[in-house]
Amino acid sequence: MIRNYFKMAWRNLMRNKAFSFINILGLSIGISAALVIFLIVQYDFSFDKFHKNGDRTYRVVSVFGFSGETYKNSGVPYPIGNSLRNEVTGIEVVAPFTIWNASQYLSIASEANGAPKVFKKQDKTIFADESYFKMIPYKWIAGNPSSSLQEPYQVVLTEKTASLYFPKSSPAEIVGKEIIFDDSVRTKITGIVKNLEGNTDFNFTGFVSRATQERTTLKPRFWDHWNNTNSSSQIMIRLSQGTTVANIEKQLNGLYNKYNKKEKGDNSTHAFLLQPLSDIHFNPDYGNFDQRIAHKPTLYGLLVVAVFLLLLGCINFINLTTAQGTQRAKEIGIRKTMGSSRKQLVFQFLSETFFITIIATVVSTVLTPVLLKVFSDFIPPELHFHPLQQPIILFFIASLVILVSILSGFYPAWILSSYKPVNVLKNQSSFTPGRSRKAWVRKSLTVTQFIIAQGFILATLVVSQQIHYTLSKDLGFKKDAILSFSINYRDTVSSNKTLLIEKIKSIPEVAMLGIATGTPTSTNNWSSTLKYTNGKKETTTDVELKFADTNYLKQFQLKLVAGNNLSHSDTVTQFLINQTYANLLGFKNPQDAIGKYIEWDNKHVPVTGVLADFHQNSLHSAIKPLAIGNWNKEARVLSISLQPKNGDGSNWKTAIAKIENAWKGIYPKEDFEYTFFDESIARYYEAEQNISRLLKWATGLVILISCMGLLGLVMYTTNLRTKEIGVRKVLGASVSQIVSILTKDFLVLIIVAFFVAAPVAWWAMHKWLENFAYRTSINAWLFIGAGLLTVSIALITISFQTIKAAMTNPVKSLRTE
């Protein structure tokens, strides 16, 4: 019997090729989109799920408050690790570690007394002790977990990294060998661990003993300071059974208050919070470990897109199948007369749906790799589609086939199997004429399709407008034709920096060179507590600090609203402050701030200028208090303004090549890496640009599926009204009149959909724009444009079939009856 069902399904599919094609294409697009989205969502939500005690594992993070502003940092003061172990109860494991930002390359002595092997970009190294391996479930291949990181200059490597450094040696042979970090730190390999199995943010490949940091010249300057927080200094803890997060946070903050005494007039706040392990991969406020941060709202949005695309494919199937029901009425009547039960008919129609869904699923498995390539720059490179090697994908595909078959097939099967044999055999296939003419179910489903389509169109327009706004807005500085790069701060030879600057200045294609601690929007910012006393009141504020030379203002075209530019100095002798900071200090007139003294680092530094506000970060954030000092000694970021680009841009290529040659002449072992300033600003909005790109694709697919469904309904309607069209033409109706009659009902549905979609889309986009401190407005023309665009697309879709039907010879039309 089942074999017969599938035979009939195939015959029905071949008999109605156009409708079958629309159904299969609509379902395959929805299924392939669902597959791609499932891969992305499943990948991101699988991070660090292999930890046995993950529900009790937390990272300690810091939250600061200054003058009503909140600042979040993933780091903690260095001494907190030992205090946690000794003074806080309810913690099972305390694992402090420091990300070694100085580690960029390492060398290994050659076995044959030749030149040492050098490996660059080895920046996944941390300082840790044995507690780190109690926290993170590494499996040891060689070495002793309890002693491998006890002494200075010991290092443990992951298996993959060890085989990279020593490809011909076994783990046991590698233990005892020496690797040298940055030509200065000689370490001995004491252990090898297996790479973590499963997706994880803990992607470190080298573990240098924490004793190396604590007992050698690598000891940080603020090792014993409780009032200094560095994002490199992090700590993971595992709570004991039954311990609450609130209890540990209370003890942590008690520790901070015990060891860090606030100065008089300091109105800042500081609190430690526990960040769950499951939050690390998703929380941009604290970041992870220089890994990709997933955005939960985007992932949930992708799931909504998948649901909508699947829903649209199912709606097409329901609409077209029920619309075609009259053509199968006699078949149903005969089957019932011959003894078929309603249950058997329902099963038959569901089998046909299942057959079509299987075909659509096969098509979608072919489309999925193509979609993954299209979005390769958005999708993590570790994400792959190998169904036979990924049981969870096979399970998802099977579940999807069953779900889509039921969603698409049950309602049509139930309706078609309800036909009464007496009526249909008397040619009364529209067994309920009034209700059929209203076709309220099909109309409701069509409206739903275009509500979704217009919602996507509106969302795409708003997101595109916001991205254009962010990239074209005047940020308060010049951003074009400027490239920047950083001098390695491990270089202690000050003459190298001076020599490099002089070489670059002599390049004809270079218009200007400036040196600072960062560009106007650099993420490598310093912040410090600055004090100002007006004789009556002391104001303590956390202020973002930059240090620069005299070219900084001219190069980036920063505007002075009062005072003068910085003068040259190797120590901080002047501050320029922005208007936001000046207003915070109580100066309504910028000129009044000139000559006032600000206390920083136990020095009283005069304010010599006030800058017009510019955006130090993306438009997600409000402008914050800023001070720029004239301290060139620690400034290591070179910004180079290039001469205007010639016709083919060759002068820029020449300039970059010459700059690289100058760099290599002084730092031959280091790669020359630079960024254009405007490109670094655009990267602030990568997430939004990815969302925009996804929305454009999703909108295109939604419109395609909706229009295919609309085309199918128009084809059915014109076929059903063939005699009516012929009679109207005989009675003198023109082509335009007939097209108008056939089109009117569908346009009414689209207009109804617009009035439902508009307020919902406005609310959703308004909520999304709240993520930006500076944002565009949602104008009425966006809604008008979206409505007109939808109507235009629908008219084009409808017109092909309606014009064809209206131009048919009425003699042929009347003969069809």
Side-chain angles (χ1 to χ4, degrees), residues 100-144:
W100 193 7
N101 293 321
S103 172
Q104 296 294 326
Y105 65 92
L106 55 83
S107 55
I108 299 169
S110 173
E111 302 273 350
N113 297 320
K117 292 187 292 183
V118 177
F119 297 87
K120 297 181 179 181
K121 297 185 182 298
Q122 302 303 299
D123 55 354
K124 299 298 181 183
T125 306
I126 62 172
F127 294 102
D129 57 22
E130 68 275 7
S131 62
Y132 183 84
F133 294 95
K134 295 177 183 177
M135 180 71 64
I136 311 299
Y138 286 95
K139 294 179 181 178
W140 286 73
I141 301 173
N144 189 329

Side-chain angles (χ1 to χ4, degrees), residues 108-181:
I108 299 169
S110 173
E111 302 273 350
N113 297 320
K117 292 187 292 183
V118 177
F119 297 87
K120 297 181 179 181
K121 297 185 182 298
Q122 302 303 299
D123 55 354
K124 299 298 181 183
T125 306
I126 62 172
F127 294 102
D129 57 22
E130 68 275 7
S131 62
Y132 183 84
F133 294 95
K134 295 177 183 177
M135 180 71 64
I136 311 299
Y138 286 95
K139 294 179 181 178
W140 286 73
I141 301 173
N144 189 329
S146 60
S147 60
S148 290
L149 291 174
Q150 280 193 344
E151 300 299 323
Y153 302 115
Q154 292 179 322
V155 63
V156 173
L157 301 176
T158 59
E159 182 181 23
K160 187 176 179 180
T161 305
S163 63
L164 172 67
Y165 297 161
F166 306 96
K168 298 180 180 179
S169 302
S170 67
E173 293 171 333
I174 294 173
V175 171
K177 293 185 181 291
E178 185 180 69
I179 57 177
I180 305 167
F181 289 92

Side-chain angles (χ1 to χ4, degrees), residues 559-623:
K559 300 173 185 176
L560 272 173
V561 295
N564 300 307
N565 190 10
L566 298 169
S567 59
H568 177 76
S569 175
D570 284 336
T571 60
V572 180
T573 59
Q574 298 170 341
F575 269 142
L576 302 179
I577 64 174
N578 66 353
Q579 286 178 287
T580 294
Y581 187 27
N583 294 336
L584 193 63
L585 297 179
F587 299 111
K588 295 182 179 179
N589 183 355
Q591 188 64 41
D592 295 340
I594 306 303
K596 301 299 188 292
Y597 284 84
I598 293 175
E599 184 180 342
W600 170 75
D601 196 25
N602 297 319
K603 302 174 185 176
H604 287 83
V605 183
V607 175
T608 58
V610 177
L611 291 169
D613 281 338
F614 62 87
H615 293 272
Q616 306 109 286
N617 296 292
S618 73
L619 297 186
H620 291 94
S621 307
I623 294 173

Side-chain angles (χ1 to χ4, degrees), residues 220-520:
R221 178 182 173 189
F222 300 104
W223 183 261
D224 300 317
H225 291 214
W226 278 83
N227 63 350
N228 183 274
T229 300
N230 189 319
S231 60
S232 298
S233 170
Q234 304 206 14
I235 190 164
M236 300 293 299
I237 63 173
R238 184 190 301 150
L239 306 189
S240 303
Q241 292 281 3
T243 303
T244 64
V245 170
N247 177 30
I248 300 301
E249 288 179 347
K250 182 178 179 181
Q251 293 185 70
L252 275 169
N253 292 307
L255 270 182
Y256 183 78
N257 294 330
K258 175 182 176 181
Y259 290 107
N260 184 64
K261 302 299 181 183
K262 292 177 67 173
E263 297 182 14
K264 184 179 178 181
D266 185 356
N267 62 354
S268 64
T269 61
H270 181 282
F272 292 117
L273 299 178
L274 299 190
Q275 181 189 19
L277 175 67
S278 59
D279 187 57
I280 292 176
H281 187 65
F282 301 99
N283 196 331
D285 291 337
Y286 303 107
N288 42 33
F289 312 110
D290 292 328
Q291 290 277 82
R292 168 182 166 272
I293 291 284
H295 190 235
K296 273 188 178 179
T298 299
L299 294 177
Y300 292 138
L302 286 174
L303 289 174
V304 171
V305 170
V307 170
F308 280 152
L309 288 172
L310 277 175
L311 184 62
L312 290 173
C314 293
I315 287 173
N316 275 359
F317 191 95
I318 293 169
N319 271 345
L320 296 181
T321 305
T322 54
Q324 284 182 285
T326 55
Q327 298 177 13
R328 302 189 66 180
K330 278 192 176 180
E331 174 195 342
I332 296 164
I334 292 171
R335 287 185 179 279
K336 282 196 168 185
T337 303
M338 298 297 292
S340 289
S341 66
R342 186 173 187 183
K343 182 179 178 182
Q344 287 174 320
L345 289 170
V346 168
F347 195 79
Q348 176 194 331
F349 290 123
L350 282 175
S351 299
E352 292 179 8
T353 307
F354 180 74
F355 181 67
I356 290 175
T357 306
I358 289 289
I359 296 173
T361 303
V362 172
V363 174
S364 71
T365 56
V366 176
L367 287 176
T368 298
V370 177
L371 288 176
L372 288 175
K373 286 184 180 179
V374 169
F375 294 106
S376 58
D377 56 346
F378 173 75
I379 293 172
E382 301 85 3
L383 192 153
H384 302 287
F385 178 64
H386 301 299
L388 298 180
Q389 301 172 17
Q390 297 167 291
I392 191 169
I393 293 178
L394 289 177
F395 175 78
F396 178 74
I397 290 174
S399 303
L400 210 55
V401 169
I402 294 170
L403 178 65
V404 171
S405 297
I406 293 172
L407 283 176
S408 302
F410 184 77
Y411 177 75
W414 185 259
I415 293 299
L416 296 180
S417 64
S418 67
Y419 283 21
K420 295 179 180 180
V422 175
N423 290 338
V424 296
L425 293 176
K426 288 181 178 179
N427 203 27
Q428 296 176 11
S429 56
S430 57
F431 57 99
T432 50
R435 189 169 64 181
S436 179
R437 279 196 299 269
K438 293 178 182 176
W440 63 271
V441 173
R442 287 200 298 277
K443 289 182 178 180
S444 299
L445 293 175
T446 303
V447 168
T448 301
Q449 280 189 314
F450 281 93
I451 287 172
I452 295 170
Q454 293 188 72
F456 272 92
I457 291 172
L458 283 166
T460 302
L461 291 174
V462 172
V463 171
S464 299
Q465 185 182 20
Q466 176 64 21
I467 291 172
H468 175 74
Y469 174 81
T470 55
L471 296 179
S472 61
K473 179 177 169 56
D474 181 8
L475 301 176
F477 50 77
K478 181 181 184 290
K479 60 182 179 180
D480 302 319
I482 300 175
L483 63 86
S484 63
F485 57 88
S486 179
I487 299 173
N488 194 329
Y489 72 88
R490 296 183 304 277
D491 180 15
T492 57
V493 182
S494 59
S495 60
N496 283 344
K497 180 170 70 173
T498 304
L499 179 59
L500 178 62
I501 290 172
E502 293 304 317
K503 282 187 174 183
I504 294 174
K505 281 183 176 179
S506 66
I507 297 173
E509 292 81 5
V510 171
M512 184 184 297
L513 181 146
I515 183 164
T517 52
T519 58

Side-chain angles (χ1 to χ4, degrees), residues 44 82 84 129 209 220 463 586 794:
D44 277 320
N82 291 333
L84 270 174
D129 57 22
S209 61
V463 171

Side-chain angles (χ1 to χ4, degrees), residues 541-763:
T541 310
D542 183 69
V543 179
E544 186 176 304
L545 292 178
K546 294 181 186 290
F547 301 95
D549 65 0
T550 57
N551 282 343
Y552 197 75
L553 269 64
K554 183 178 180 182
Q555 185 172 37
F556 294 104
Q557 296 181 8
L558 302 178
K559 300 173 185 176
L560 272 173
V561 295
N564 300 307
N565 190 10
L566 298 169
S567 59
H568 177 76
S569 175
D570 284 336
T571 60
V572 180
T573 59
Q574 298 170 341
F575 269 142
L576 302 179
I577 64 174
N578 66 353
Q579 286 178 287
T580 294
Y581 187 27
N583 294 336
L584 193 63
L585 297 179
F587 299 111
K588 295 182 179 179
N589 183 355
Q591 188 64 41
D592 295 340
I594 306 303
K596 301 299 188 292
Y597 284 84
I598 293 175
E599 184 180 342
W600 170 75
D601 196 25
N602 297 319
K603 302 174 185 176
H604 287 83
V605 183
V607 175
T608 58
V610 177
L611 291 169
D613 281 338
F614 62 87
H615 293 272
Q616 306 109 286
N617 296 292
S618 73
L619 297 186
H620 291 94
S621 307
I623 294 173
K624 295 180 179 179
L626 169 73
I628 301 177
N630 57 346
W631 185 23
N632 295 337
K633 185 178 179 181
E634 293 296 321
R636 291 181 177 271
V637 176
L638 298 187
S639 296
I640 299 167
S641 298
L642 301 177
Q643 297 287 2
K645 186 185 288 189
N646 58 12
D648 58 359
S650 59
N651 63 329
W652 281 21
K653 294 177 183 178
T654 302
I656 293 170
K658 289 180 179 179
I659 295 168
E660 183 173 7
N661 287 336
W663 170 273
K664 285 292 186 181
I666 299 172
Y667 305 108
K669 288 186 177 181
E670 297 186 25
D671 292 333
F672 176 64
E673 297 179 343
Y674 65 92
T675 57
F676 274 98
F677 187 37
D678 55 350
E679 292 176 354
S680 66
I681 294 171
R683 279 196 287 273
Y684 276 128
Y685 309 104
E686 279 185 353
E688 286 76 23
Q689 289 172 329
N690 287 331
I691 290 172
S692 176
R693 188 177 170 196
L694 284 170
L695 272 175
K696 287 174 183 176
W697 271 90
T699 302
L701 292 177
V702 165
I703 292 172
L704 175 63
I705 296 173
S706 300
C707 288
M708 284 194 307
L710 185 61
L711 178 62
L713 282 177
V714 172
M715 289 169 63
Y716 166 75
T717 302
T718 53
N719 288 338
L720 196 66
R721 301 174 72 174
T722 301
K723 184 177 180 180
E724 176 192 341
I725 293 169
V727 171
R728 287 183 181 274
K729 289 199 75 173
V730 169
L731 294 176
S734 65
V735 171
S736 60
Q737 288 173 324
I738 292 173
V739 169
S740 175
I741 291 168
L742 294 174
T743 303
K744 181 178 65 176
D745 290 343
F746 292 105
L747 288 183
V748 169
L749 297 180
I750 293 166
I751 293 169
V752 169
F754 171 77
F755 283 105
V756 175
V760 176
W762 180 90
W763 176 84

